[in-house]
Amino acid sequence: MSTPFPFTAVVGQDDLRLALLLNAVSPAVGGVLVRGEKGTAKSTAVRALSALLPEVAVVPGCRFSCDPGSPDPGCPDGPHEAGDGTGRPARMVELPVGASEDRLVGALDIERALAEGVKAFEPGLLADAHRGILYVDEVNLLHDHLVDLLLDAAAMGASYVEREGVSVRHAARFLLVGTMNPEEGELRPQLLDRFGLTVEVAASREPDQRVEVVRRRLAYDDDPAGFAARWAGEEAAVRARIVAARALLPSVRLGDGALRQIAATCAAFEVDGMRADIVMARTATALAAWAGRTEVLAEDVRQAALLALPHRRRRNPFDAPGLDEDKLDETLEEFGGTGDGTDDDPDPDPDPGPDGPGGGGRPPQDGPDEGSPAGDVPAQGEPAENGKAPAGQGPEQSPVRAAEPFRTKTLSVPGIGEGAAGRRSRARTEHGRTTGSRRPRGSLTKLHLAATVQAAAPHQRARGRSGPGLVVRRDDLRQATREGREGNLVLFVVDASGSMAARQRMGAVKGAVLSLLLDAYQRRDKVGLVTFRGSAAEVALPPTSSVDAAAARLESLPTGGRTPLAAGLLKAHEVLRVERLRDPARRALVVVVTDGRATGGAEPVARAGRAAGLLAAGQVASVVVDCESGPVRLGLAGRLAGELGGAAVTLDELRADSIAGLVRDVQGTSTSRRAA
């Protein structure tokens, strides 16, 4: 077994270490979501935590880790008699992003259940994680059906396995810890709210601290056991402090004043529901116990807010998490000073405990620092740097703010695919409505009961059936085939030329694309962004699951110059070609946002037509969002849609409440093209 990197040897990352330690003190806090860029010790710190957790007493031989003091009466390995158990280290179970449903919840032998009436159950990862840690790296990439199972288990504290009327239940209470890189996409709001705390991590910009990180990592890689031995004293001290804090926790007093501050803070920041209030109360109590106190102070409430509220304030995927700390301090001051365990003057820079891991950290706030590259984008109404545009692009206008997003009509890819689970286009999936049956390839996951009985029935006499039970063999089993929805690659090809540069018009265009991006987030799509203007096209954002990254690129998109429509379509064709090699099962939908004009170079209109024909020949589903405005319309966007074999829709028609036949038009046009 490999030696884990010591928890106390992690350099910096005070907020991350504090959040993990608070959950070790009080598992009722509800877990941690760690957001941050790659290479910031997220996984290292989480994996190191398990070595600090106290031992767990379990019933000997129980595969479901029942507590010997109060065993689960419904345990599949039970019933157990209450009594002394055996101790074992707390487990940290990792859930792979690509795990199957059976791997997560467990597998039930359907053949034995039907033929013998025996519940032969093989526990899954939820059983292994009971009374321990369930860790999901890249949790934002977890498939929807696994997210649903996690939500059910987290809500009920139990896992249910249902297979055609055969049911198994076992306890599943675990500390949920997830890590994610926001650049790869956001997390579903329902699962996001299930994490008690969240922290933002980033690599230090201090050279001395970075040097120390490299020094410790190299020392660990050279001799893991020797490196761990050098930190054994610090590890033992933190382990003892966790045990002491756990023992003190029941004695910590959460006064009415602190409760009032918690409620006022949650109300001031308009968080949904009451879970935030409860999590803040538990976190503040754990902070006091970690500091060795029996009273919850205002500084505990403040630190609890910084850990428990940022991810609960998001209203859409384009909102950056974070809190206005000035507003937080004002709220705490306004509702403090009652004499019930709160301070009259909240410390603006709290230190929740004595020196050691997790002392005094505050989650960093999103947004560029002064002088960062993100701060170099000209604000609305400001001229571009030096007032100049790139050669060949003509006058360039500063970025225009997007109009308010709206709910869009559903755009989908025709036919039936087999891509990743999502919510856009029809697909053969493991989840959805049953459409038929087939012989299972590999292990049986979804039994088609009627088809199985139909296959077994003609052979009952030959098999010597004498009782009421059905004699079922492996060859009789039938897998249900199901139809659900898949996520697609939605590739936006946006015209940013001078013909689109009227500020009011471009604001409406950006608002429409932003609306489509929000729709893509809700439907679990990947998105990409190609823009064209001046003399060329560029991939502003390669295909990604991060729609907020696409929204950021769109917001800073400048306009001006000629309209190289052919270049934009050819660039889209190249992006799709590469992406098809990476993810051949994911089908694409190209959304071209333009007024249809083509200028620049020799025969720009003819070249655009040939480029459109190239996409059409590849059977790529497409929609043209017609941005032409004014009393005189040339119909160029409609002509382009015909060349692409797709549909054209105006900005007004894109709204969900405008027309009823948009999806039918998109699919019908594509179907007609294939038939031709």
Side-chain angles (χ1 to χ4, degrees):
M1 183 177 180
S2 61
T3 303
F5 192 91
F7 186 85
T8 52
V10 175
V11 179
Q13 308 297 11
D14 291 339
D15 299 315
L16 169 58
R17 293 191 295 164
L18 176 61
L20 292 171
L21 289 169
L22 292 177
N23 276 274
V25 171
S26 175
V29 166
V32 186
L33 175 64
V34 187
R35 296 166 46 94
E37 58 197 26
K38 51 188 175 292
T40 50
K42 300 188 298 293
S43 300
T44 299
V46 173
R47 292 188 176 102
L49 176 67
S50 59
L52 299 177
L53 298 180
E55 281 195 343
V56 177
V58 297
V59 173
C62 178
R63 297 174 298 168
F64 301 88
S65 301
C66 279
D67 184 350
S70 56
D72 180 8
C75 176
D77 284 354
H80 304 299
E81 294 292 336
D84 296 334
T86 59
R88 65 158 175 79
R91 290 176 181 161
M92 190 192 74
V93 178
E94 293 196 41
L95 171 61
V97 169
S100 66
E101 179 178 335
D102 283 349
R103 184 72 185 99
L104 178 62
V105 301
L108 192 63
D109 191 330
I110 297 297
E111 186 175 359
R112 292 188 63 190
L114 289 177
E116 305 173 27
V118 176
K119 293 183 180 180
F121 181 69
E122 185 65 28
L125 295 177
L126 289 180
D128 293 342
H130 179 48
R131 303 176 66 203
I133 301 173
L134 182 63
Y135 171 50
V136 189
D137 193 13
E138 305 295 349
V139 64
N140 50 324
L141 304 182
L142 202 62
H143 289 302
D144 272 4
H145 68 284
L146 297 182
V147 171
D148 292 337
L149 293 171
L150 278 181
L151 288 172
D152 289 343
M156 297 183 293
S159 174
Y160 291 85
V161 182
E162 301 280 351
R163 294 289 188 274
E164 301 295 339
V166 181
S167 175
V168 174
R169 173 214 164 272
H170 65 83
R173 291 181 293 275
F174 48 83
L175 178 62
L176 183 61
V177 180
T179 58
M180 60 174 283
N181 183 348
E183 294 178 357
E184 297 173 339
E186 285 298 337
L187 201 59
R188 279 177 56 178
Q190 296 93 330
L191 184 57
L192 186 65
D193 189 51
R194 283 293 172 183
F195 287 97
L197 310 179
T198 185
V199 291
E200 298 279 337
V201 296
S204 172
R205 299 300 186 259
E206 292 293 331
D208 291 342
Q209 194 171 78
R210 296 175 75 96
V211 166
E212 186 61 24
V213 170
V214 175
R215 181 181 291 117
R216 292 186 187 183
R217 185 69 212 190
L218 293 178
Y220 170 77
D221 290 341
D222 290 341
D223 182 10
F227 183 82
R230 290 195 294 273
W231 288 88
E234 288 82 352
E235 293 283 285
V238 174
R239 191 179 299 111
R241 188 174 171 187
I242 291 173
V243 173
R246 281 190 173 188
L248 182 62
L249 187 66
S251 303
V252 175
R253 177 175 176 270
L254 181 65
D256 290 343
L259 275 174
R260 184 171 177 80
Q261 285 185 315
I262 290 170
T265 301
C266 292
F269 286 101
E270 299 179 348
V271 296
D272 295 332
M274 294 298 297
R275 184 172 286 119
D277 303 64
I278 296 171
V279 170
M280 272 190 66
R282 289 171 174 166
T283 304
T285 303
L287 280 162
W290 178 248
R293 289 186 268 100
T294 57
E295 287 283 344
V296 173
L297 305 180
E299 64 192 43
D300 301 322
V301 175
R302 187 182 194 278
Q303 184 66 56
L306 292 173
L307 293 173
L309 296 188
H311 62 301
R312 292 186 165 88
R313 296 193 60 246
R314 303 190 69 180
R315 293 295 183 266
N316 65 62
F318 311 133
D319 292 339
L323 290 182
D324 182 341
E325 295 195 35
D326 291 337
K327 181 178 179 181
L328 173 60
D329 291 334
E330 291 173 2
T331 303
L332 293 176
E333 184 175 359
E334 179 182 355
F335 290 90
T338 62
D340 288 320
T342 61
D343 286 345
D344 290 336
D345 184 17
D347 185 356
D349 187 15
D351 181 357
D355 293 340
R362 294 191 297 179
Q365 305 301 305
D366 280 2
D369 296 329
E370 293 183 8
S372 69
D376 293 337
V377 179
Q380 181 176 357
E382 294 179 355
E385 184 178 2
N386 299 326
K388 298 179 181 180
Q393 292 190 3
E396 180 178 302
Q397 296 191 16
S398 59
V400 179
R401 187 176 299 278
E404 193 70 22
F406 52 84
R407 190 167 65 89
T408 66
K409 235 3 183 181
T410 302
L411 308 177
S412 64
V413 178
I416 300 179
E418 295 182 346
R423 297 183 176 181
R424 183 172 296 278
S425 305
R426 294 173 59 196
R428 299 180 188 91
T429 62
E430 288 294 321
H431 302 269
R433 63 185 184 90
T434 301
T435 58
S437 65
R438 60 172 174 81
R439 291 181 181 272
R441 295 189 288 267
S443 61
L444 181 71
T445 56
K446 299 291 183 182
L447 177 74
H448 194 297
L449 183 59
T452 299
V453 172
Q454 187 176 8
H459 309 291
Q460 297 304 296
R461 181 176 297 178
R463 294 173 182 174
R465 174 187 172 188
S466 58
L470 190 68
V471 181
V472 179
R473 295 180 179 173
R474 175 70 184 175
D475 290 343
D476 301 326
L477 299 179
R478 294 294 182 269
Q479 174 85 20
T481 57
R482 302 193 174 195
E483 182 179 309
R485 294 280 170 176
E486 67 177 1
N488 299 116
L489 166 60
V490 182
L491 182 61
F492 295 94
V493 184
V494 180
D495 184 349
S497 65
S499 65
M500 301 279 289
R503 301 191 71 82
Q504 185 175 0
R505 182 181 179 190
M506 195 61 195
V509 169
K510 284 188 175 183
V513 178
L514 197 65
S515 303
L516 290 167
L517 283 171
L518 184 58
D519 181 69
Y521 165 76
Q522 294 168 342
R523 298 185 187 279
R524 314 291 183 260
D525 294 317
K526 292 179 70 174
V527 297
L529 179 62
V530 172
T531 63
F532 58 94
R533 65 187 182 94
S535 58
E538 66 171 344
V539 181
L541 183 71
T544 174
S545 297
S546 178
V547 296
D548 53 341
R553 301 292 173 87
L554 178 71
E555 190 69 24
S556 61
L557 178 66
T559 57
R562 296 187 176 184
T563 313
L565 178 57
L569 298 176
L570 290 174
K571 184 66 73 174
H573 179 268
E574 176 64 17
V575 170
L576 294 179
R577 184 188 67 80
V578 174
E579 192 64 19
R580 197 174 292 119
L581 296 174
R582 294 175 176 169
D583 190 358
R586 189 181 291 269
R587 297 186 296 163
L589 173 66
V590 176
V591 179
V592 185
V593 184
T594 182
D595 56 10
R597 289 180 171 83
T599 61
E603 299 182 334
V605 176
R607 286 190 291 111
R610 290 193 293 269
L614 191 62
L615 286 169
Q619 302 290 307
V620 177
S622 58
V623 178
V624 177
V625 179
D626 184 358
C627 302
E628 191 174 28
S629 60
V632 179
R633 294 177 177 267
L634 302 179
L636 299 176
R639 188 184 308 170
L640 174 63
E643 293 169 335
L644 287 168
V649 55
T650 66
L651 290 174
D652 289 337
E653 291 171 340
L654 190 61
R655 294 179 179 273
D657 55 356
S658 59
I659 58 174
L662 178 58
V663 177
R664 183 179 64 250
D665 291 343
V666 175
Q667 296 178 337
T669 305
S670 300
T671 303
S672 300
R673 167 166 52 81
R674 290 200 306 274

